[in-house]
Amino acid sequence: MTKPFTPNDLVRYIYREMPEAEQELLMQALQSDDSLMQEYVEMLSTIEQLDQVRLQPSDKVVKAIKAMAHSTGLQKV
């Protein structure tokens, strides 16, 4: 009987947080289980998209932080 792998296992595999023996079992499962492979590919795609996201605070938030810092007497950084 093979171990049923979870999405959490896939994340551990992707980020290389899985022991080598377990990696081997997961690679075998990926080769034989189309739905697991599909989930794995979707996770890789999502991670790639997330890595491209560049978040920046809005001007309104930056101004509010600066105003608060100025009102409390904090030095400029």
mmCIF file of all heavy atoms in Angstrom, residues 27-54:
data_model
loop_
_atom_site.group_PDB
_atom_site.id
_atom_site.type_symbol
_atom_site.label_atom_id
_atom_site.label_comp_id
_atom_site.label_asym_id
_atom_site.label_seq_id
_atom_site.Cartn_x
_atom_site.Cartn_y
_atom_site.Cartn_z
ATOM 1 N N MET A 27 8.042 11.015 -5.614
ATOM 2 C CA MET A 27 8.315 11.027 -7.057
ATOM 3 C C MET A 27 7.652 9.836 -7.742
ATOM 4 O O MET A 27 7.090 9.966 -8.833
ATOM 5 C CB MET A 27 9.824 11.050 -7.316
ATOM 6 C CG MET A 27 10.458 12.381 -6.953
ATOM 7 S SD MET A 27 12.183 12.600 -7.457
ATOM 8 C CE MET A 27 12.984 11.154 -6.842
ATOM 9 N N GLN A 28 7.674 8.688 -7.095
ATOM 10 C CA GLN A 28 6.992 7.508 -7.651
ATOM 11 C C GLN A 28 5.481 7.732 -7.712
ATOM 12 O O GLN A 28 4.826 7.385 -8.690
ATOM 13 C CB GLN A 28 7.309 6.279 -6.808
ATOM 14 C CG GLN A 28 8.740 5.818 -6.919
ATOM 15 C CD GLN A 28 9.071 4.711 -5.923
ATOM 16 O OE1 GLN A 28 8.197 4.169 -5.251
ATOM 17 N NE2 GLN A 28 10.350 4.385 -5.816
ATOM 18 N N ALA A 29 4.944 8.344 -6.661
ATOM 19 C CA ALA A 29 3.509 8.619 -6.621
ATOM 20 C C ALA A 29 3.125 9.625 -7.709
ATOM 21 O O ALA A 29 2.075 9.488 -8.347
ATOM 22 C CB ALA A 29 3.107 9.146 -5.248
ATOM 23 N N LEU A 30 3.976 10.620 -7.943
ATOM 24 C CA LEU A 30 3.699 11.607 -8.989
ATOM 25 C C LEU A 30 3.645 10.944 -10.360
ATOM 26 O O LEU A 30 2.836 11.328 -11.210
ATOM 27 C CB LEU A 30 4.760 12.715 -8.978
ATOM 28 C CG LEU A 30 4.683 13.723 -7.835
ATOM 29 C CD1 LEU A 30 5.923 14.591 -7.803
ATOM 30 C CD2 LEU A 30 3.423 14.576 -7.960
ATOM 31 N N GLN A 31 4.498 9.955 -10.576
ATOM 32 C CA GLN A 31 4.533 9.263 -11.865
ATOM 33 C C GLN A 31 3.301 8.388 -12.085
ATOM 34 O O GLN A 31 2.878 8.183 -13.225
ATOM 35 C CB GLN A 31 5.801 8.424 -11.986
ATOM 36 C CG GLN A 31 7.048 9.268 -12.094
ATOM 37 C CD GLN A 31 8.330 8.439 -12.076
ATOM 38 O OE1 GLN A 31 8.288 7.224 -11.876
ATOM 39 N NE2 GLN A 31 9.453 9.088 -12.283
ATOM 40 N N SER A 32 2.718 7.901 -11.026
ATOM 41 C CA SER A 32 1.600 6.968 -11.176
ATOM 42 C C SER A 32 0.226 7.574 -10.885
ATOM 43 O O SER A 32 -0.788 6.966 -11.211
ATOM 44 C CB SER A 32 1.814 5.757 -10.265
ATOM 45 O OG SER A 32 1.824 6.163 -8.908
ATOM 46 N N ASP A 33 0.188 8.767 -10.302
ATOM 47 C CA ASP A 33 -1.093 9.376 -9.914
ATOM 48 C C ASP A 33 -1.276 10.702 -10.657
ATOM 49 O O ASP A 33 -0.664 11.715 -10.316
ATOM 50 C CB ASP A 33 -1.106 9.599 -8.401
ATOM 51 C CG ASP A 33 -2.431 10.124 -7.878
ATOM 52 O OD1 ASP A 33 -3.241 10.644 -8.668
ATOM 53 O OD2 ASP A 33 -2.647 10.015 -6.660
ATOM 54 N N ASP A 34 -2.130 10.676 -11.680
ATOM 55 C CA ASP A 34 -2.332 11.866 -12.514
ATOM 56 C C ASP A 34 -2.899 13.052 -11.732
ATOM 57 O O ASP A 34 -2.510 14.197 -11.960
ATOM 58 C CB ASP A 34 -3.251 11.555 -13.691
ATOM 59 C CG ASP A 34 -2.590 10.660 -14.714
ATOM 60 O OD1 ASP A 34 -1.348 10.599 -14.745
ATOM 61 O OD2 ASP A 34 -3.332 10.006 -15.489
ATOM 62 N N SER A 35 -3.802 12.798 -10.794
ATOM 63 C CA SER A 35 -4.390 13.909 -10.037
ATOM 64 C C SER A 35 -3.357 14.544 -9.099
ATOM 65 O O SER A 35 -3.336 15.765 -8.925
ATOM 66 C CB SER A 35 -5.622 13.460 -9.251
ATOM 67 O OG SER A 35 -5.284 12.496 -8.293
ATOM 68 N N LEU A 36 -2.498 13.725 -8.526
ATOM 69 C CA LEU A 36 -1.424 14.258 -7.680
ATOM 70 C C LEU A 36 -0.464 15.087 -8.521
ATOM 71 O O LEU A 36 -0.047 16.176 -8.115
ATOM 72 C CB LEU A 36 -0.689 13.126 -6.974
ATOM 73 C CG LEU A 36 0.389 13.526 -5.974
ATOM 74 C CD1 LEU A 36 -0.226 14.279 -4.786
ATOM 75 C CD2 LEU A 36 1.152 12.299 -5.479
ATOM 76 N N MET A 37 -0.136 14.591 -9.717
ATOM 77 C CA MET A 37 0.749 15.326 -10.611
ATOM 78 C C MET A 37 0.118 16.657 -11.020
ATOM 79 O O MET A 37 0.793 17.686 -11.060
ATOM 80 C CB MET A 37 1.079 14.490 -11.849
ATOM 81 C CG MET A 37 1.949 15.216 -12.861
ATOM 82 S SD MET A 37 3.549 15.769 -12.223
ATOM 83 C CE MET A 37 4.523 14.331 -12.544
ATOM 84 N N GLN A 38 -1.162 16.650 -11.298
ATOM 85 C CA GLN A 38 -1.849 17.883 -11.675
ATOM 86 C C GLN A 38 -1.802 18.897 -10.532
ATOM 87 O O GLN A 38 -1.545 20.078 -10.741
ATOM 88 C CB GLN A 38 -3.298 17.607 -12.065
ATOM 89 C CG GLN A 38 -4.049 18.855 -12.493
ATOM 90 C CD GLN A 38 -5.476 18.548 -12.921
ATOM 91 O OE1 GLN A 38 -5.889 17.393 -13.009
ATOM 92 N NE2 GLN A 38 -6.239 19.585 -13.172
ATOM 93 N N GLU A 39 -2.032 18.432 -9.327
ATOM 94 C CA GLU A 39 -1.971 19.311 -8.160
ATOM 95 C C GLU A 39 -0.558 19.874 -7.979
ATOM 96 O O GLU A 39 -0.373 21.056 -7.677
ATOM 97 C CB GLU A 39 -2.409 18.559 -6.906
ATOM 98 C CG GLU A 39 -2.636 19.450 -5.716
ATOM 99 C CD GLU A 39 -3.342 18.728 -4.587
ATOM 100 O OE1 GLU A 39 -3.646 17.527 -4.708
ATOM 101 O OE2 GLU A 39 -3.577 19.385 -3.563
ATOM 102 N N TYR A 40 0.441 19.040 -8.194
ATOM 103 C CA TYR A 40 1.841 19.461 -8.101
ATOM 104 C C TYR A 40 2.158 20.546 -9.133
ATOM 105 O O TYR A 40 2.738 21.582 -8.802
ATOM 106 C CB TYR A 40 2.740 18.238 -8.292
ATOM 107 C CG TYR A 40 4.209 18.534 -8.422
ATOM 108 C CD1 TYR A 40 4.940 19.023 -7.347
ATOM 109 C CD2 TYR A 40 4.872 18.321 -9.626
ATOM 110 C CE1 TYR A 40 6.296 19.294 -7.469
ATOM 111 C CE2 TYR A 40 6.225 18.580 -9.746
ATOM 112 C CZ TYR A 40 6.932 19.064 -8.669
ATOM 113 O OH TYR A 40 8.264 19.330 -8.782
ATOM 114 N N VAL A 41 1.747 20.332 -10.364
ATOM 115 C CA VAL A 41 1.996 21.308 -11.432
ATOM 116 C C VAL A 41 1.279 22.627 -11.133
ATOM 117 O O VAL A 41 1.831 23.711 -11.333
ATOM 118 C CB VAL A 41 1.580 20.726 -12.806
ATOM 119 C CG1 VAL A 41 1.582 21.791 -13.877
ATOM 120 C CG2 VAL A 41 2.489 19.572 -13.182
ATOM 121 N N GLU A 42 0.059 22.542 -10.625
ATOM 122 C CA GLU A 42 -0.691 23.754 -10.275
ATOM 123 C C GLU A 42 0.010 24.520 -9.151
ATOM 124 O O GLU A 42 0.067 25.751 -9.170
ATOM 125 C CB GLU A 42 -2.117 23.403 -9.879
ATOM 126 C CG GLU A 42 -2.976 22.990 -11.051
ATOM 127 C CD GLU A 42 -4.349 22.487 -10.643
ATOM 128 O OE1 GLU A 42 -4.685 22.488 -9.432
ATOM 129 O OE2 GLU A 42 -5.095 22.072 -11.555
ATOM 130 N N MET A 43 0.549 23.792 -8.170
ATOM 131 C CA MET A 43 1.284 24.447 -7.082
ATOM 132 C C MET A 43 2.527 25.148 -7.608
ATOM 133 O O MET A 43 2.820 26.282 -7.211
ATOM 134 C CB MET A 43 1.680 23.444 -6.002
ATOM 135 C CG MET A 43 0.600 23.098 -5.066
ATOM 136 S SD MET A 43 1.277 22.102 -3.721
ATOM 137 C CE MET A 43 -0.190 21.868 -2.748
ATOM 138 N N LEU A 44 3.260 24.489 -8.490
ATOM 139 C CA LEU A 44 4.451 25.117 -9.072
ATOM 140 C C LEU A 44 4.088 26.386 -9.823
ATOM 141 O O LEU A 44 4.783 27.402 -9.708
ATOM 142 C CB LEU A 44 5.161 24.139 -10.015
ATOM 143 C CG LEU A 44 5.904 22.982 -9.378
ATOM 144 C CD1 LEU A 44 6.482 22.074 -10.460
ATOM 145 C CD2 LEU A 44 6.994 23.457 -8.446
ATOM 146 N N SER A 45 2.998 26.336 -10.569
ATOM 147 C CA SER A 45 2.543 27.506 -11.316
ATOM 148 C C SER A 45 2.151 28.644 -10.371
ATOM 149 O O SER A 45 2.505 29.802 -10.597
ATOM 150 C CB SER A 45 1.359 27.125 -12.193
ATOM 151 O OG SER A 45 0.836 28.249 -12.852
ATOM 152 N N THR A 46 1.449 28.302 -9.305
ATOM 153 C CA THR A 46 1.034 29.312 -8.326
ATOM 154 C C THR A 46 2.245 29.944 -7.655
ATOM 155 O O THR A 46 2.312 31.171 -7.499
ATOM 156 C CB THR A 46 0.116 28.677 -7.265
ATOM 157 O OG1 THR A 46 -1.030 28.126 -7.915
ATOM 158 C CG2 THR A 46 -0.314 29.692 -6.225
ATOM 159 N N ILE A 47 3.217 29.133 -7.282
ATOM 160 C CA ILE A 47 4.424 29.651 -6.646
ATOM 161 C C ILE A 47 5.171 30.581 -7.591
ATOM 162 O O ILE A 47 5.645 31.642 -7.188
ATOM 163 C CB ILE A 47 5.323 28.492 -6.163
ATOM 164 C CG1 ILE A 47 4.667 27.793 -4.972
ATOM 165 C CG2 ILE A 47 6.719 28.991 -5.803
ATOM 166 C CD1 ILE A 47 5.318 26.487 -4.587
ATOM 167 N N GLU A 48 5.244 30.200 -8.855
ATOM 168 C CA GLU A 48 5.914 31.041 -9.847
ATOM 169 C C GLU A 48 5.211 32.395 -9.977
ATOM 170 O O GLU A 48 5.849 33.439 -10.025
ATOM 171 C CB GLU A 48 5.927 30.338 -11.200
ATOM 172 C CG GLU A 48 6.664 31.091 -12.277
ATOM 173 C CD GLU A 48 6.690 30.335 -13.594
ATOM 174 O OE1 GLU A 48 6.977 29.131 -13.577
ATOM 175 O OE2 GLU A 48 6.406 30.973 -14.623
ATOM 176 N N GLN A 49 3.886 32.369 -9.993
ATOM 177 C CA GLN A 49 3.122 33.619 -10.081
ATOM 178 C C GLN A 49 3.314 34.469 -8.830
ATOM 179 O O GLN A 49 3.461 35.694 -8.918
ATOM 180 C CB GLN A 49 1.639 33.319 -10.294
ATOM 181 C CG GLN A 49 1.333 32.742 -11.652
ATOM 182 C CD GLN A 49 -0.108 32.292 -11.779
ATOM 183 O OE1 GLN A 49 -0.972 32.670 -10.990
ATOM 184 N NE2 GLN A 49 -0.375 31.458 -12.777
ATOM 185 N N LEU A 50 3.299 33.843 -7.668
ATOM 186 C CA LEU A 50 3.489 34.585 -6.420
ATOM 187 C C LEU A 50 4.879 35.207 -6.343
ATOM 188 O O LEU A 50 5.045 36.311 -5.811
ATOM 189 C CB LEU A 50 3.267 33.675 -5.210
ATOM 190 C CG LEU A 50 1.820 33.303 -4.922
ATOM 191 C CD1 LEU A 50 1.764 32.245 -3.832
ATOM 192 C CD2 LEU A 50 1.006 34.519 -4.556
ATOM 193 N N ASP A 51 5.878 34.518 -6.876
ATOM 194 C CA ASP A 51 7.239 35.049 -6.867
ATOM 195 C C ASP A 51 7.372 36.305 -7.728
ATOM 196 O O ASP A 51 8.280 37.106 -7.529
ATOM 197 C CB ASP A 51 8.242 33.989 -7.340
ATOM 198 C CG ASP A 51 8.468 32.902 -6.308
ATOM 199 O OD1 ASP A 51 8.110 33.110 -5.130
ATOM 200 O OD2 ASP A 51 8.999 31.841 -6.689
ATOM 201 N N GLN A 52 6.459 36.490 -8.672
ATOM 202 C CA GLN A 52 6.516 37.647 -9.556
ATOM 203 C C GLN A 52 5.772 38.853 -8.991
ATOM 204 O O GLN A 52 5.919 39.961 -9.498
ATOM 205 C CB GLN A 52 5.941 37.287 -10.922
ATOM 206 C CG GLN A 52 6.781 36.261 -11.655
ATOM 207 C CD GLN A 52 6.150 35.813 -12.963
ATOM 208 O OE1 GLN A 52 5.141 36.328 -13.392
ATOM 209 N NE2 GLN A 52 6.764 34.823 -13.588
ATOM 210 N N VAL A 53 4.993 38.654 -7.954
ATOM 211 C CA VAL A 53 4.212 39.739 -7.359
ATOM 212 C C VAL A 53 5.128 40.668 -6.576
ATOM 213 O O VAL A 53 5.952 40.231 -5.775
ATOM 214 C CB VAL A 53 3.110 39.177 -6.432
ATOM 215 C CG1 VAL A 53 2.405 40.297 -5.678
ATOM 216 C CG2 VAL A 53 2.121 38.358 -7.232
ATOM 217 N N ARG A 54 5.006 41.918 -6.829
ATOM 218 C CA ARG A 54 5.765 42.929 -6.095
ATOM 219 C C ARG A 54 4.758 43.837 -5.386
ATOM 220 O O ARG A 54 4.015 44.581 -6.026
ATOM 221 C CB ARG A 54 6.622 43.778 -7.037
ATOM 222 C CG ARG A 54 7.633 42.987 -7.821
ATOM 223 C CD ARG A 54 8.765 42.532 -6.895
ATOM 224 N NE ARG A 54 9.742 41.764 -7.632
ATOM 225 C CZ ARG A 54 10.109 40.540 -7.330
ATOM 226 N NH1 ARG A 54 9.567 39.930 -6.311
ATOM 227 N NH2 ARG A 54 11.003 39.910 -8.048
#
